[in-house]
């Protein structure tokens, strides 16, 4: 029987960026699960920590374990339902910051490559024209520094591992990525250099535009 993967528990606190009667905007640390893992020792996660002080807190989207940054959390069923629709209708604006290997030539561009599960190497995904679902990422260069580039990323779709896989597919894997970067690139950073830096959307109850920024720690 395979030994279960035990998540290293992040001791970093969750920052509250916005709070009202319907939702929270929070900063998730890296190495903290969004929801409980399957193994009993992997129950510590963002939503269980928040539910200590906010018993009605509900997840409406996720960030990977290794990704830090801003998330929206519903506090009521009404907000949960409305936020779910906003994500489904792609009315939630999401930006990320990443540091990738190599000098990205174009100042801005798009990566339009279909993504499918790589069943033989789960949880990895793969670019697959035959079975993949459409996936689109827009990018903009923020800075170039020798053998690395800082990018702003806007995922138009929300496929699993989309940003990591898309950047690796064009030859610029994210530093510290243990799934899609070669060993030399993985070793260039102590963590995955990917951070959710901005969310903007109509408030699920009032309809007023809500926008918050969350600068990356790297």
């Amino acid at each position: 029987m395979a030994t279960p993967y035990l998540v290293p528990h992040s001791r970093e606190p969750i920052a509250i960026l916005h709070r009202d009667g319907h939702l929270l905007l929070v900063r998730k640390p890296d190495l903290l699960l969004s929801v409980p893992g399957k193994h009993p020792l992997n129950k510590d996660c963002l939503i269980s920590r928040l539910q200590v002080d906010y018993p009605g807190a509900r997840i409406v989207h996720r960030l990977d374990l290794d990704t830090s940054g801003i998330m929206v959390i519903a506090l009521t069923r009404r907000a949960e339902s409305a936020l779910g629709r906003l994500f489904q209708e792609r009315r939630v604006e999401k930006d990320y910051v990443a540091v990738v290997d190599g000098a990205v030539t174009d100042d801005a561009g798009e990566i339009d490559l279909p993504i499918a599960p790589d069943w033989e190497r789960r949880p990895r995904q793969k670019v697959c024209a035959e079975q993949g679902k459409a996936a689109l990422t827009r990018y903009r260069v923020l800075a170039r520094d020798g053998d690395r580039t800082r990018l702003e990323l806007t995922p138009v779709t929300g496929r699993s591992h989309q940003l990591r896989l898309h950047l690796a597919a064009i030859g610029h894997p994210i530093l510290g990525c243990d799934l899609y970067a070669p060993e030399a690139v993985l070793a260039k950073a102590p963590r995955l250099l990917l951070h959710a830096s901005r969310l903007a959307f109509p408030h699920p109850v009032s309809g007023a535009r809500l926008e918050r920024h969350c600068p990356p720690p790297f």
Side-chain angles (χ1 to χ4, degrees):
M1 185 175 179
T3 302
Y5 173 70
L6 301 182
V7 176
H9 293 273
S10 171
R11 297 181 180 274
E12 188 178 347
I14 299 165
I16 305 296
L17 306 177
H18 169 86
R19 177 179 60 204
D20 61 40
H22 305 282
L23 61 85
L24 301 171
L25 287 169
V26 304
R27 180 195 181 281
K28 185 187 87 68
D30 69 303
L31 295 183
L32 180 65
L33 292 168
S34 295
V35 298
K38 293 181 180 179
H39 193 277
L41 295 179
N42 290 333
K43 294 302 182 186
D44 181 40
C45 64
L46 177 118
I47 194 62
S48 64
R49 290 187 189 184
L50 288 173
Q51 285 173 343
V52 173
D53 295 317
Y54 304 95
R58 297 172 171 87
I59 281 281
V60 293
H61 69 126
R62 304 181 188 186
L63 291 179
D64 288 345
L65 169 70
D66 297 335
T67 304
S68 57
I70 190 167
M71 292 179 63
V72 58
I73 303 293
L75 294 180
T76 64
R77 292 197 179 277
R78 179 182 177 186
E80 178 186 24
S81 177
L83 287 166
R85 286 195 301 273
L86 290 174
F87 275 99
Q88 187 175 21
E89 295 167 0
R90 298 181 185 173
R91 297 175 63 196
V92 179
E93 300 171 24
K94 298 175 286 183
D95 289 332
Y96 293 73
V97 172
V99 181
V100 304
D101 190 51
V104 177
T105 305
D106 296 334
D107 290 339
E110 293 186 348
I111 308 169
D112 187 359
L113 295 170
I115 292 175
D118 189 345
W119 297 113
E120 296 181 357
R121 296 189 294 172
R122 292 289 286 169
R124 289 172 59 107
Q125 308 290 305
K126 63 182 179 180
V127 172
C128 181
E130 291 78 22
Q131 298 176 330
K133 294 183 178 180
L136 177 63
T137 300
R138 297 190 175 110
Y139 68 85
R140 180 172 68 90
V141 171
L142 298 175
R144 297 182 180 90
D145 183 13
D147 66 346
R148 60 187 62 190
T149 304
R150 181 178 288 256
L151 297 175
E152 180 184 78
L153 304 170
T154 303
V156 179
T157 53
R159 309 301 177 201
S160 181
H161 296 176
Q162 177 176 317
L163 300 179
R164 295 205 230 186
L165 180 56
H166 268 179
L167 290 162
I170 65 168
H172 296 288
I174 300 175
L175 303 191
C177 180
D178 61 354
L179 290 176
Y180 304 104
E183 287 295 326
V185 178
L186 171 61
K188 287 184 177 182
R191 55 156 288 186
L192 176 70
L193 297 190
L194 178 63
H195 177 85
S197 58
R198 184 181 76 97
L199 278 180
F201 51 89
H203 191 281
V205 175
S206 72
R209 179 178 171 84
L210 180 59
E211 179 175 6
R212 288 293 185 276
H213 294 259
C214 181
F218 50 80

